[in-house]
Amino acid sequence: MKNLKKEFPVTSQYIHLNTAGSGLMSETVLDFRQEHDLDYLIQGSILKDKQGAFLAKVRETVGHFFHCESENVALVPNFSLGLNILLEGLPEKSKILLLKDDYPSINWPVTSRDFEVVFADIDANLEDNILQQVENEKPDVLCLSLVQYINGIMIDLNFIKELKAKFPQLLIIADGTQFCGVSDFNFATSGIDVLGASAYKWLNAGYGNGFFLFKESVKDLVKPRSIGFNSWGTKYKEEQSFIGKFEPGHLDTLAFGTLSVAIGLIKSVGIQNIETQVKHLKSKAKEEFSARDLLQSQVKNRTIHSSIFNITGDEKLFNKLREHKIICSKRGAGIRISFHYFNTEDDFNALLKII
């Protein structure tokens, strides 16, 4: 992996182990954003006349990167807004299976509506817990985060594919906010029906942009109610109004252009290179954290895990890490550490030294 300190200047000043909290801005993204706003300054509405074609290219970039047809890509300011639109389109009284203590932006929108809700526990046996609840409760929908934000437990994607094959009528909705950007993911061949994500974390695309990907069959199951002037007017929305229901208002070309450029940077680095680096760091981290008894048993006992870890540590340790310019987050009962491709073994060794 090439040295990325110039691309991500923050890494020259700090050891940033907090992508699970917020990704970084790259020089590549900054260059685009400056040029975009300069164009807006001197062109005004002339720039905005090109908005439809511009956003169509963004959809194509997102769709190509995640292996989804561009006409099934919706651009949303963040995951939460997209999920709320989606839930409004589900049949009333749907039974939805959630994970207990999953991210609030997943669970709260579901539990605040008049759905029948059941839960599966998040522990070392996560997949078995989900399967048991699907068999026993026969939910219409499974809605979950692919990676848990507090401790980094990651669902087995092969299990999701097998679950969908066994229960084809089960609508599977996934939040990829803590997942998208760390590995080569093929939405088309996954068992997931709907994948949504905010892009400010692992895609390093800044705030105000996200996306939803849909399998074609979802359009017959979900009937969103939202609509606005921007729900029409592009080739996608004239031919398929389903996507327009997720984009009722004007979209920000600065924000979504940033998403496209951020994906372009990932492609230039190489998603396989990124995946290799992240796997190396998370494998080393799990081994060393386990040896020091810093992880929960439910994490230590799983073979599949993300690059997010919640280690045992108090306020004193957290402040000590900050004093040494190691950026992380307090989450749950411990300290959340997360590794991305711009992190190095030197970063990890510096962390271990302080611990």
Side-chain angles (χ1 to χ4, degrees), residues 254-275:
L254 176 66
F256 289 103
T258 298
L259 171 59
S260 184
V261 170
I263 289 176
L265 175 60
I266 289 174
K267 292 169 70 174
S268 70
V269 174
I271 189 62
Q272 296 296 340
N273 293 329
I274 290 172
E275 186 170 356

Side-chain angles (χ1 to χ4, degrees), residues 104-155:
S105 289
I106 287 275
N107 285 6
W108 290 354
V110 174
T111 57
S112 68
R113 289 174 166 83
D114 195 21
F115 296 123
E116 183 180 354
V117 181
V118 292
F119 293 91
D121 290 331
I122 300 171
D123 58 28
N125 304 307
L126 175 59
E127 290 79 12
D128 289 340
N129 298 340
I130 292 173
L131 179 59
Q132 183 177 23
Q133 287 295 77
V134 171
E135 291 176 337
N136 294 342
E137 297 290 346
K138 297 177 174 55
D140 304 298
V141 181
L142 168 63
C143 190
L144 78 167
S145 297
L146 296 182
V147 173
Q148 292 303 309
Y149 77 109
I150 288 183
N151 56 19
I153 286 180
M154 178 177 171
I155 193 74

Side-chain angles (χ1 to χ4, degrees), residues 307-325:
S307 60
I308 302 172
F309 298 90
N310 196 307
I311 64 172
T312 302
D314 55 15
E315 186 80 22
K316 182 179 179 181
L317 176 59
F318 179 75
N319 290 334
K320 187 176 182 181
L321 291 171
R322 281 298 182 104
E323 288 171 6
H324 286 80
K325 295 188 175 183

Side-chain angles (χ1 to χ4, degrees), residues 131 135 161-168:
L131 179 59
E135 291 176 337
K161 187 182 296 187
E162 292 166 2
L163 184 70
K164 182 65 179 180
K166 187 174 182 180
F167 300 94

Side-chain angles (χ1 to χ4, degrees), residues 29-79:
V29 162
L30 177 63
D31 288 345
F32 160 76
R33 291 172 71 91
Q34 290 177 326
E35 291 175 10
H36 175 280
D37 277 356
L38 180 59
D39 287 342
Y40 190 23
L41 177 70
I42 62 178
Q43 295 182 41
S45 64
I46 296 174
L47 176 66
K48 294 303 179 180
D49 289 342
K50 307 170 186 176
Q51 178 170 286
F54 182 91
L55 293 170
K57 291 295 291 183
V58 174
R59 289 188 191 89
E60 291 172 6
T61 297
V62 173
H64 183 265
F65 185 69
F66 291 107
H67 306 278
C68 176
E69 296 296 328
S70 58
E71 59 264 29
N72 291 333
V73 176
L75 302 177
V76 295
N78 54 62
F79 172 82

Side-chain angles (χ1 to χ4, degrees), residues 76-214:
V76 295
N78 54 62
F79 172 82
S80 296
L81 284 174
L83 180 62
N84 276 274
I85 293 173
L86 179 70
L87 293 176
E88 285 297 307
L90 289 179
E92 294 183 6
K93 307 299 181 180
S94 294
K95 179 184 277 192
I96 301 182
L97 173 60
L98 301 174
L99 303 186
K100 187 177 181 181
D101 299 322
D102 203 341
Y103 191 57
S105 289
I106 287 275
N107 285 6
W108 290 354
V110 174
T111 57
S112 68
R113 289 174 166 83
D114 195 21
F115 296 123
E116 183 180 354
V117 181
V118 292
F119 293 91
D121 290 331
I122 300 171
D123 58 28
N125 304 307
L126 175 59
E127 290 79 12
D128 289 340
N129 298 340
I130 292 173
L131 179 59
Q132 183 177 23
Q133 287 295 77
V134 171
E135 291 176 337
N136 294 342
E137 297 290 346
K138 297 177 174 55
D140 304 298
V141 181
L142 168 63
C143 190
L144 78 167
S145 297
L146 296 182
V147 173
Q148 292 303 309
Y149 77 109
I150 288 183
N151 56 19
I153 286 180
M154 178 177 171
I155 193 74
D156 183 347
L157 294 177
N158 286 326
F159 163 78
I160 293 293
K161 187 182 296 187
E162 292 166 2
L163 184 70
K164 182 65 179 180
K166 187 174 182 180
F167 300 94
Q169 300 306 312
L170 178 67
L171 179 67
I172 300 179
I173 302 170
D175 177 7
T177 300
Q178 295 285 15
F179 169 78
C180 294
V182 297
S183 63
D184 188 9
F185 174 71
N186 191 319
F187 176 71
T189 60
S190 76
I192 299 169
D193 297 296
V194 181
L195 176 72
S198 294
Y200 68 93
K201 294 182 185 285
W202 301 90
L203 288 164
N204 295 301
Y207 290 79
N209 62 70
F211 55 87
F212 268 68
L213 313 178
F214 302 95

